[in-house]
Amino acid sequence: MASTTPALDTELLRRMRLARDAMDRDWAEPLDVAAVAARAGYSRYHFVRLFHDVYGETPGRYLARRRIERAQDLLRTANLTVTEICMLVGFTSLGSFCTRFKQELGMTPTEFRRRARATDSSAIPGCFVLFWAGGFRKDR
């Protein structure tokens, strides 16, 4: 009896995993969808369609969601401003960060921090977080 389930394209899945791993690894860096698509060996538009088919969301939405997850951790634990956190997690605009954050969680980053800290322990000093994230670079 023949199976009606299409065979998994392991090469496609391997390429999509490489692209997703690159986004997970370099989430704080400015990432261009075309560059990530090139790493996977596809054109930008074909990559976006394939990524959506495999993971159920576009690469842009996936990356933004992962950045918001990182921001949540920092808002809970770090003594940094919302703007500093916005930049640390890879957003270039405070407005787009706050808008996306509210779309994902239904509250602003400031509201999230207030609620999270009402029950959590004290925050990690911002200088430690900046040092860990490479915020004290001596490249000049």
Side-chain angles (χ1 to χ4, degrees):
M1 178 185 263
S3 173
T4 58
T5 305
L8 289 176
D9 184 349
T10 57
E11 181 60 17
L12 166 69
L13 295 176
R14 185 186 71 76
R15 288 178 175 198
M16 291 297 109
R17 183 58 187 233
L18 285 173
R20 195 177 78 172
D21 287 349
M23 287 188 280
D24 285 341
R25 182 181 54 253
D26 300 329
W27 55 268
E29 302 297 322
L31 287 175
D32 179 65
V33 174
V36 176
R39 286 184 189 176
Y42 294 106
S43 71
R44 180 183 191 277
Y45 298 105
H46 194 58
F47 171 71
V48 170
R49 282 192 304 275
L50 291 172
F51 192 94
H52 186 272
D53 289 346
V54 171
Y55 294 112
E57 60 188 338
T58 65
R61 182 165 291 276
Y62 174 80
L63 183 59
R65 184 174 54 79
R66 298 295 288 172
R67 286 175 171 169
I68 294 295
E69 289 170 1
R70 269 39 174 227
Q72 285 177 275
D73 289 338
L74 290 172
L75 287 164
R76 274 189 214 99
T77 61
N79 189 18
L80 296 169
T81 67
V82 172
T83 303
E84 289 170 327
I85 291 171
C86 163
M87 299 301 163
L88 277 175
V89 299
F91 281 89
T92 56
S93 162
L94 182 60
S96 63
F97 170 67
C98 291
T99 299
R100 184 62 66 112
F101 196 96
K102 190 164 185 173
Q103 287 172 344
E104 290 285 325
L105 299 171
M107 66 184 85
T108 67
T110 304
E111 290 171 317
F112 177 85
R113 170 180 272 164
R114 189 174 7 90
R115 288 182 186 182
R117 289 200 178 162
T119 57
D120 287 346
S121 61
S122 61
I124 298 168
C127 59
F128 291 153
V129 177
L130 287 173
F131 181 73
W132 173 80
F136 297 116
R137 295 185 182 139
K138 296 181 182 178
D139 44 67
R140 294 179 203 224

